[in-house]
């Protein structure tokens, strides 16, 4: 007797397997080599002529001045002709510019007579910045600047709509590291009778785009930061240059002044008093500077937001003209925090990142004048380590201090020598006389100033080394702390002049691809410099060490 056992059939798999979801294709981007080229937005036909007319103000003014000498009808004819030509030339870029994004490349084609095509692999995109002037914002457009980290050359798309610009930035920053397709496990297909798989081949479907993580906010514009605006000497220099230019401009015009008006004005001033007049002028200048500096600060930095997301740092700011900058985090090799002389009493600082192939020389300002604790905290978040911002710097010793003083007193020596030369040579040739101490007065005035500057320079001088970062302190009037990742150091240079050799000091330069491509430690004791380089990059430096 034999028993027959029949095994129960395995449960039948789903005869209609659900394929993985396919990500929605961007309506602004082509993904095939066979797709056509895209043009910029049609509103560029209005933007470029207006921009060309604005840039033609000087030629139009020149035509007006030249035509005025030939009669009014020449002016009536010449100005419209120049304006019309500028507007026509402004229309050309829209007809001659097109772009597309394939699965692996960004391509831009432009030019009328000399056609050129710029190509950038998507995996080489390092930054995507968005800018908008007032006219851009009125028309709802942005200028997209795409950096690839090669000689600071950027691909510009001017202009695209705001929605398209945001979509392009999101796509380019994600496509640089995300493959377009991905293999999936085979999904066996069955017929309704439950037969065995038919041996279907492994399909390839578009990869599912990962869900975007919410951006982490690092800093936001605060109205309390406006108090630092009047202490920005750089903006004061710009205002002074503008005033000087306007003064030079108005000097070219002949202005007739009545002598009686001058007499009445002088009598009025004498009645008021010179002291009161000086006070009024000083107060007026202070109020004007406060208004100019605050308005300039707000216009430039209003709405600032600094966030981290999708592997990049994003900074956007601006009241009238807006800027939106993205820096790839893995390209950020360090930071630099700057405390100008006038801001230190009010505890203010600025912050910039050191990255490869982005910004001006690899330096991107991410925080304006703001409280020093805020700048230090954001710097620590960007670095992923707050220790470099808190560590005490190692001073470079008394020899470095003496060299600071000697370097600053060279100006004193020059002023004194110039005074003696004028007294002994120039004045006798002109048959004039003057006390020697008058000519030595500039050197005497500069002497204590040089002492103060030397002490400030030495107080800011120092260095520190942690497990992951090299910290360098430097600056004379502005105190600067530069932090560079050790992994970003690609070499060392040791420099020593004749004055340093006598004091046993060297200048140690850490070369890098980020920022200004070097971080300099000045007047470091020679043995300490070699030891520092060996600790930071032992494998590359050890063969060159000599006992």
């Amino acid at each position: 007797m034999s028993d027959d056992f029949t095994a129960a059939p395995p449960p039948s798999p789903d005869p209609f397997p659900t394929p993985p979801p396919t990500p929605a294709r961007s309506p602004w981007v082509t993904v095939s080599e066979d797709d056509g080229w895209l043009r910029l937005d049609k509103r560029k036909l209005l933007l470029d002529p207006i921009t060309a007319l604005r840039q033609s103000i000087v030629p139009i003014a020149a035509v007006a001045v030249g035509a005025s000498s030939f009669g009014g009808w020449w002016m009536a004819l010449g100005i419209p002709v120049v304006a019309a030509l500028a507007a026509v030339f402004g229309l050309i870029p829209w007809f001659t510019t097109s772009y597309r994004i394939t699965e692996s490349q960004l391509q831009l084609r432009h030019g009328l007579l000399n056609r050129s095509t710029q190509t950038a692999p998507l995996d080489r995109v390092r930054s995507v910045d968005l800018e908008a002037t007032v006219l851009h914002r009125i028309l709802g457009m942005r200028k997209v600047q795409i950096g690839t980290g090669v000689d600071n050359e950027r691909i510009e798309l001017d202009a695209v709509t705001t929605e398209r610009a945001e979509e392009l930035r999101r796509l380019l920053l994600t496509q640089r590291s995300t493959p377009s397709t991905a293999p999936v496990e085979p999904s066996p297909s069955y017929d309704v009778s439950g037969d065995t798989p038919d041996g279907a081949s492994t399909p390839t479907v578009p990869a599912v785009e990962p869900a975007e993580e919410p951006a982490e906010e690092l800093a936001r514009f605060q109205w309390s930061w406006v108090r630092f605006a009047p202490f920005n000497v750089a903006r004061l220099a710009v205002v002074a240059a503008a005033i000087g230019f306007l003064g030079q401009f108005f000097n070219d015009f002949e202005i007739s002044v009545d002598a009686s008006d001058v007499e009445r004005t002088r009598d009025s001033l004498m009645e008021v008093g010179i002291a009161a007049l000086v006070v009024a002028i000083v107060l007026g200048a202070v109020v004007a500077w406060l208004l100019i500096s605050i308005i300039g600060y707000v216009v430039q930095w209003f709405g600032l937001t600094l966030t981290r997301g999708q592997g990049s740092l994003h900074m956007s700011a601006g009241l009238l003209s807006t800027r939106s900058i993205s820096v790839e985090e893995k390209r950020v090799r360090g930071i630099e925090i700057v405390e100008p002389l006038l801001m230190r009493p009010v505890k203010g600082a600025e912050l910039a990142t050191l990255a490869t192939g982005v910004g001006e020389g690899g330096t991107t300002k991410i925080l304006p004048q703001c409280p020093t604790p805020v700048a230090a905290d954001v710097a620590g978040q960007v670095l992923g380590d707050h220790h470099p911002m808190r560590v005490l710097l190692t001073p470079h010793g008394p020899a470095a201090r003496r060299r600071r003083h000697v370097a600053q007193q060279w100006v004193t020596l020059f002023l004194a020598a110039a005074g003696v030369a004028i007294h002994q040579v120039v004045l006798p040739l002109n048959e004039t006389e003057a006390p020697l101490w008058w000519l030595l007065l500039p050197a005497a005035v500069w002497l204590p100033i040089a002492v103060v500057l030397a002490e400030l320079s030495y107080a800011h001088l120092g260095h520190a080394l942690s497990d992951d970062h090299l910290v360098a302190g430097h600056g004379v009037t502005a105190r600067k702390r530069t932090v560079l990742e050790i992994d970003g150091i690609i070499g060392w240079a040791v420099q020593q002049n004749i004055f340093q050799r006598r004091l046993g000091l060297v200048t140690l330069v850490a070369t890098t691809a980020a920022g200004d491509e070097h971080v300099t430690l000045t007047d470091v004791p020679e043995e300490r410099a070699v030891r520092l380089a060996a600790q930071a990059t032992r494998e590359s430096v050890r063969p060159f060490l000599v006992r």
Side-chain angles (χ1 to χ4, degrees):
M1 179 178 179
S2 62
D3 296 330
D4 295 333
F5 295 94
T6 304
S12 299
D14 188 358
F16 303 102
T18 303
T22 302
R25 176 179 296 184
S26 168
W28 315 119
V29 178
T30 60
V31 296
S32 171
E33 295 286 352
D34 298 329
D35 288 342
W37 293 76
L38 301 176
R39 287 194 182 276
L40 300 175
D41 192 84
K42 291 182 178 180
R43 279 169 282 188
K44 185 176 176 63
L45 293 172
L46 179 61
L47 173 69
D48 284 349
I50 295 177
T51 303
L53 288 174
R54 185 184 63 204
Q55 295 174 348
S56 302
I57 291 178
V58 174
I60 290 176
V63 170
V65 172
S68 61
S69 60
F70 294 97
W73 67 277
W74 280 102
M75 182 183 300
L77 178 63
I79 292 178
V81 169
V82 174
L85 289 176
V88 170
F89 279 106
L91 298 175
I92 295 176
W94 185 84
F95 292 98
T96 60
T97 303
S98 57
Y99 73 97
R100 67 177 178 179
I101 300 177
T102 68
E103 294 181 351
S104 60
Q105 290 182 340
L106 165 68
Q107 299 171 352
L108 174 66
R109 189 168 57 189
H110 58 91
L112 178 62
L113 300 179
N114 297 325
R115 298 287 291 174
S116 63
T117 302
Q118 293 178 272
T119 302
L122 296 184
D123 58 359
R124 295 292 300 173
V125 173
R126 298 292 175 256
S127 64
V128 181
D129 301 342
L130 308 183
E131 293 185 4
T133 63
V134 176
L135 187 57
H136 280 84
R137 297 182 66 181
I138 293 175
L139 297 177
M141 295 191 296
R142 295 291 185 270
K143 177 192 293 186
V144 182
Q145 295 181 327
I146 302 150
T148 59
V150 179
D151 298 331
N152 290 331
E153 184 178 351
R154 296 191 171 192
I155 297 177
E156 290 189 0
L157 301 178
D158 184 18
V160 296
T161 62
T162 302
E163 296 80 7
R164 181 177 297 190
E166 293 292 344
E167 175 69 14
L168 284 172
R169 178 164 69 174
R170 184 198 64 79
L171 180 89
L172 292 173
L173 292 179
T174 54
Q175 285 288 101
R176 66 188 176 195
S177 57
T178 303
S180 59
T181 59
V184 298
E185 294 296 329
S187 299
S189 58
Y190 297 85
D191 60 23
V192 294
S193 62
D195 290 339
T196 57
D198 60 5
S201 60
T202 302
T204 300
V205 298
V208 180
E209 187 173 332
E212 293 186 9
E213 297 181 359
E216 175 189 2
E217 183 176 294
L218 302 181
R220 180 177 291 273
F221 177 84
Q222 303 293 332
W223 281 104
S224 60
W225 296 359
V226 177
R227 70 182 186 271
F228 298 105
F231 301 96
N232 187 357
V233 181
R235 185 173 283 115
L236 179 61
V238 173
V239 173
I243 294 175
F245 173 78
L246 292 177
Q248 184 68 25
F249 178 76
F250 286 111
N251 283 338
D252 296 335
F253 294 91
E254 295 183 359
I255 301 176
S256 60
V257 179
D258 191 355
S260 60
D261 294 337
V262 175
E263 291 290 336
R264 285 195 298 269
T265 302
R266 186 187 64 181
D267 294 340
S268 300
L269 292 178
M270 294 302 294
E271 293 177 1
V272 173
I274 300 299
L277 180 63
V278 171
V279 172
I281 293 175
V282 171
L283 290 178
V286 170
V287 172
W289 168 241
L290 289 175
L291 292 176
I292 292 173
S293 60
I294 290 175
I295 292 174
Y297 186 93
V298 173
V299 168
Q300 183 177 2
W301 296 106
F302 178 79
L304 166 75
T305 56
L306 178 64
T307 59
R308 169 192 284 148
Q310 301 179 8
S312 297
L313 295 174
H314 305 278
M315 190 276 289
S316 61
L319 180 61
L320 301 179
S321 297
T322 61
R323 296 174 297 116
S324 181
I325 299 173
S326 299
V327 182
E328 191 179 10
E329 277 196 279
K330 68 180 182 180
R331 296 292 167 179
V332 175
R333 290 300 189 178
I335 59 91
E336 183 173 74
I337 185 169
V338 181
E339 300 172 80
L341 179 62
L342 296 181
M343 286 192 188
R344 287 207 299 277
V346 294
K347 301 185 183 302
E350 304 170 355
L351 182 65
T353 60
L354 308 180
T356 57
V358 297
E360 295 295 332
T363 302
T364 303
K365 190 174 181 180
I366 59 174
L367 280 184
Q369 302 84 23
C370 64
T372 301
V374 173
D377 181 67
V378 172
Q381 294 184 63
V382 172
L383 296 173
D385 184 5
H386 289 274
H387 178 69
M389 306 308 305
R390 301 168 181 168
V391 63
L392 295 178
L393 301 183
T394 302
H396 291 179
R401 187 175 194 170
R402 290 197 304 271
R403 189 162 188 273
R404 300 289 95 195
H405 281 276
V406 171
Q408 291 294 338
Q409 294 300 339
W410 279 112
V411 177
T412 306
L413 181 61
F414 172 79
L415 294 175
V420 172
I422 293 174
H423 184 269
Q424 297 296 327
V425 179
V426 178
L427 294 184
L429 292 177
N430 294 330
E431 297 181 354
T432 56
E433 295 182 358
L436 178 60
W437 67 270
W438 282 12
L439 302 175
L440 295 179
L441 187 60
V445 172
W446 181 257
L447 179 62
I449 296 176
V451 172
V452 174
L453 293 178
E455 287 296 321
L456 286 175
S457 178
Y458 179 73
H460 303 160
L461 197 63
H463 69 273
L465 183 66
S466 65
D467 294 337
D468 300 316
H469 298 93
L470 171 68
V471 186
H474 53 104
V476 181
T477 56
R479 180 167 58 194
K480 301 179 182 180
R481 175 172 290 212
T482 303
V483 182
L484 178 64
E485 289 183 356
I486 292 178
D487 291 342
I489 299 175
I490 59 178
W492 295 93
V494 179
Q495 303 169 356
Q496 187 179 52
N497 58 34
I498 186 172
F499 302 104
Q500 290 176 315
R501 189 177 303 120
R502 296 184 61 184
L503 297 173
L505 302 174
V506 298
T507 297
L508 183 64
V509 181
T511 58
T512 178
D516 295 331
E517 299 184 352
H518 66 273
V519 173
T520 303
L521 283 70
T522 308
D523 292 338
V524 186
E526 189 171 358
E527 293 182 359
R528 190 181 302 171
V530 175
R531 191 182 311 116
L532 177 65
Q535 291 175 351
T537 51
R538 296 179 182 177
E539 296 300 327
S540 60
V541 176
R542 182 176 297 174
F544 302 97
L545 297 180
V546 179
R547 290 186 179 273

